[in-house]
Amino acid sequence: MLAMMLMCLPSMAGARQRLQTIRIAAPAISPEPIRVRVLTPPGYRRAGGAGYPVLYLNDGQDLEAVGLRSTLARMQRDGEIAPLIVVAIDM
């Protein structure tokens, strides 16, 4: 499933995180499409061959409320964690 979502994202290389929103039909669990946001790290390139760890947030609607983007950016900049992909699933 993650591979299919990442295929929908443009191949990006840059010095910033990139947030893309995808809506996925899941009629078995929700009458409305489920919002999924994918945050890619600075320098992410879909075809670049590099692998990234993935953090799945099952309460993705709280992404902004907990300041996750800025926290991850700081931790990556300070070398505390490796660059990663965040998949935020609104529940």
Side-chain angles (χ1 to χ4, degrees):
M1 181 65 141
L2 177 62
M4 290 184 341
M5 288 189 294
L6 292 175
M7 294 293 288
C8 296
L9 300 177
S11 180
M12 300 297 298
R16 301 181 48 170
Q17 296 173 327
R18 176 113 171 135
L19 184 67
Q20 294 287 319
T21 300
I22 303 166
R23 299 206 181 269
I24 299 174
I29 59 171
S30 174
E32 300 294 323
I34 295 173
R35 182 174 73 160
V36 177
R37 288 171 291 162
V38 180
L39 180 65
T40 53
Y44 172 78
R45 292 184 62 88
R46 185 177 68 220
Y52 293 92
V54 179
L55 173 63
Y56 293 94
L57 303 174
N58 64 344
D59 287 323
Q61 69 277 1
D62 295 331
L63 183 69
E64 290 85 14
V66 298
L68 187 64
R69 289 180 74 175
S70 60
T71 299
L72 290 176
R74 179 190 50 77
M75 292 178 77
Q76 290 172 13
R77 181 188 65 240
D78 294 347
E80 296 174 25
I81 61 172
L84 55 86
I85 295 171
V86 175
V87 178
I89 306 160
D90 289 9
M91 301 303 280

